[in-house]
Amino acid sequence: FNSSIIDFYLKIFSFILIISMFIGCFAYKINDLKTILIITTFSQIAYTSVGFLNSSFLILACSLNYFLFYLYSTFSLFLIFLVTSSMYNIRNLQELALLRYVDFGLFVSIIFIIFSISGIPPFMGFFIKYFLLVKILSNPILFKLGVVLLVTSFITMYIYLSVVYGLIKTSMGLRKFIQLEVFLKQEF
């Protein structure tokens, strides 16, 4: 193939990947965990696709591992959400915070999976993302995409952390409300 044609397609694919990375950042003020996961999946798929642009076997293997890890983690969250929505009629994040009082182990599992997807150390998602990002940034052709990946990764990490913060904050507020309700029932 002609190198100018390959460069042209590489630039078009890179532009599409950059758009996909920023689409995942639009999940900022959404209150539905399923919708947040769907929108941020665009960023995660772009993250793995940048690794597929390189011909290095190590980067390709790392991208495939990250894709499989993200697929497994997202599937686990969807499965947990389906189970909790059928068993406890939980539909949004505020109701999901009630899970802390019904099934604490499941509540902690959701938080750990979200931490891992967001790439917070010492969870598995961090190590895979870190290794992939280091390899992408060491490639001069993919360096600009790596910088955009780093920025959008921090934005999606903030989105995931705000979800976890909202779950913990809401569940703490519900605990105070439940304690007040129990106190009022005892008084009267």
Side-chain angles (χ1 to χ4, degrees), residues 81-185:
F81 196 72
L82 286 173
V83 167
T84 56
S85 66
S86 66
M87 289 177 61
Y88 306 117
N89 198 20
I90 293 175
R91 300 288 176 214
N92 59 24
L93 288 175
Q94 282 81 21
E95 293 172 354
L96 192 62
L98 288 171
L99 190 62
R100 180 179 183 178
Y101 302 106
V102 178
D103 192 350
F104 186 73
L106 201 56
F107 182 77
V108 170
S109 297
I110 289 171
I111 290 175
F112 282 172
I113 292 172
I114 292 173
F115 276 161
S116 189
I117 287 175
S118 68
I120 302 226
F123 296 100
M124 187 62 181
F126 167 76
F127 294 110
I128 296 173
K129 253 185 180 178
Y130 175 75
F131 184 70
L132 182 61
L133 189 63
V134 165
K135 292 298 179 186
I136 288 172
L137 290 174
S138 67
N139 186 340
I141 297 171
L142 300 176
F143 183 78
K144 292 178 185 175
L145 281 175
V147 171
V148 174
L149 276 176
L150 190 62
V151 169
T152 57
S153 181
F154 282 130
I155 294 171
T156 55
M157 184 185 300
Y158 176 76
I159 291 168
Y160 288 129
L161 286 177
S162 66
V163 167
V164 170
Y165 177 73
L167 284 174
I168 293 172
K169 181 181 162 190
T170 304
S171 65
M172 296 302 278
L174 290 172
R175 187 177 112 223
K176 291 177 184 176
F177 177 74
I178 290 170
Q179 288 174 347
L180 179 65
E181 187 178 344
V182 169
F183 175 74
L184 290 175
K185 284 183 180 180

